[in-house]
Amino acid sequence: MSPIKQVILNKDTKIKPVWIMRQAGRYLPEFKEIRKRNTNFINLCLNPSLSSEITLQPLRRFALDAAIIFSDILILPYGFKQKVEFKKNFGPILGDFNLNQTLKVTEDDFIKRVNPVYKVINLVKNNKLTENKSIIGFVGAPWTLLVYILNKQSPKQNLNKDLFKDQYFIKKTLKIIEKFLKIHIKNQIDNGAELIQIFDSWAGLLDNKDLDFYIYNPTQSLIEYTKSLNVPVICFPRGIKNYKRYCEIVKPDVICIDYEVDPEKIEKEIKIPVQGGLDPKILLTDKDNLKKEATKYLDIFKDHPYIFNLGHGVLPETDPNMMDYLIKTVKNYK
Ligand code: 1CP
């Protein structure tokens, strides 16, 4: 069994496997080289030979325990025919969302458009580099996708609250997102994904009173569905105020924590396996500090099933040598 699965299924505390969110991509010179020649990001995600190579690039350099498929959470709206583009130095830009048009998109239409992603998983799975490692498929959580689909750009710049006023429309939209998410999860699993991570990057934007409707209910439904396919789920509700309550309600197999929560409190309160936590900005400091901070997490979770990771994606300006040092620090930890 792969080390990550040993932690999740057997609650093994003697090993501390490691993978890194956004390990494939932006900070690696070999990725930038490919990216330079492929200006359309969605087309790059839909190119199985390039995308599988990008997925494997960090595994050639570092002793990671998982490969996360090189794709994007916004491949979902692309799959149901909403326009999705990525603008340099700005981020994603989406076209208008049309509910009636989207209701006409069939499962077959969706799979045809997204099929190259499933081919990538197959290629990665059959590569020697992933032997005894976990292949991680992923999706955006319904709430985070709803935000991009309606706001049509990152909420980092601004989020128009008026978009969420029509409850009937929002309910229908969440339902259709959930439907395509299940299709996407099932096909990733059928093609070799052994774990699914659900990224709820904008969970922190909601007030407590809205969590049931936008986060707990739809996420719980996805988790139940994924578990019914015998595949464990890792949830990353970034910025959520109460991780304990989140775990009690949605019941993920693993909870991935962000860098703003107190790891000691999490260790005490949460009984399921934990992943992540280290602030990605620590990789921009120096080796002594990096070792000190990484060791802090490893010490706190010494007797807890724990998968080492960061508390958000690795930053584009990270020096790959620092990443190398981090992975070695985790691997040499006794
Ligand atoms: O070169 C480029 O301009 C593209 C940059 C890039 C990359 C490398 C984007 C655009 N997406 C990705 C790949 C990606 N995205 C992966 C696979 C690689 C890996 O993890 O190793 C994954 C898992 C994601 C997930 C993703 N996309 C999230 C959730 C995680 C997170 O960081 O919070 C989100 C929110 C997105 C949307 C997205 N896609 C790309 C960007 C720049 C963004 C964020 C936009 C924003 O800030 O709102």
Side-chain angles (χ1 to χ4, degrees), residues 231-249:
V231 168
V233 186
I234 308 172
C235 282
F236 180 43
R238 183 169 72 92
I240 199 133
K241 277 123 214 141
N242 193 337
Y243 272 95
K244 180 168 180 270
R245 189 165 155 73
Y246 178 91
C247 289
E248 283 164 359
I249 296 174

Side-chain angles (χ1 to χ4, degrees), residues 268-279:
K268 284 194 196 83
E269 280 185 357
I270 291 182
K271 302 300 169 206
I272 62 169
V274 173
Q275 171 180 283
L278 181 71
D279 190 339

Side-chain angles (χ1 to χ4, degrees), residues 309-324:
N309 204 319
L310 304 178
H312 198 197
V314 57
L315 296 164
E317 56 272 40
T318 304
D319 177 351
N321 292 317
M322 289 294 275
M323 181 74 124
D324 186 53

Side-chain angles (χ1 to χ4, degrees), residues 228-295:
S228 78
L229 303 173
N230 276 318
V231 168
V233 186
I234 308 172
C235 282
F236 180 43
R238 183 169 72 92
I240 199 133
K241 277 123 214 141
N242 193 337
Y243 272 95
K244 180 168 180 270
R245 189 165 155 73
Y246 178 91
C247 289
E248 283 164 359
I249 296 174
V250 310
K251 299 189 178 61
D253 295 280
V254 180
I255 184 76
C256 180
I257 56 172
D258 66 77
Y259 56 86
E260 286 184 327
V261 295
D262 173 6
E264 285 182 314
K265 183 163 177 263
I266 295 283
E267 201 281 325
K268 284 194 196 83
E269 280 185 357
I270 291 182
K271 302 300 169 206
I272 62 169
V274 173
Q275 171 180 283
L278 181 71
D279 190 339
K281 287 192 285 297
I282 303 291
L283 282 143
L284 308 180
T285 63
D286 58 80
K287 286 188 176 170
D288 287 346
N289 190 43
L290 178 57
K291 186 170 186 172
K292 187 181 106 216
E293 292 297 322
T295 305

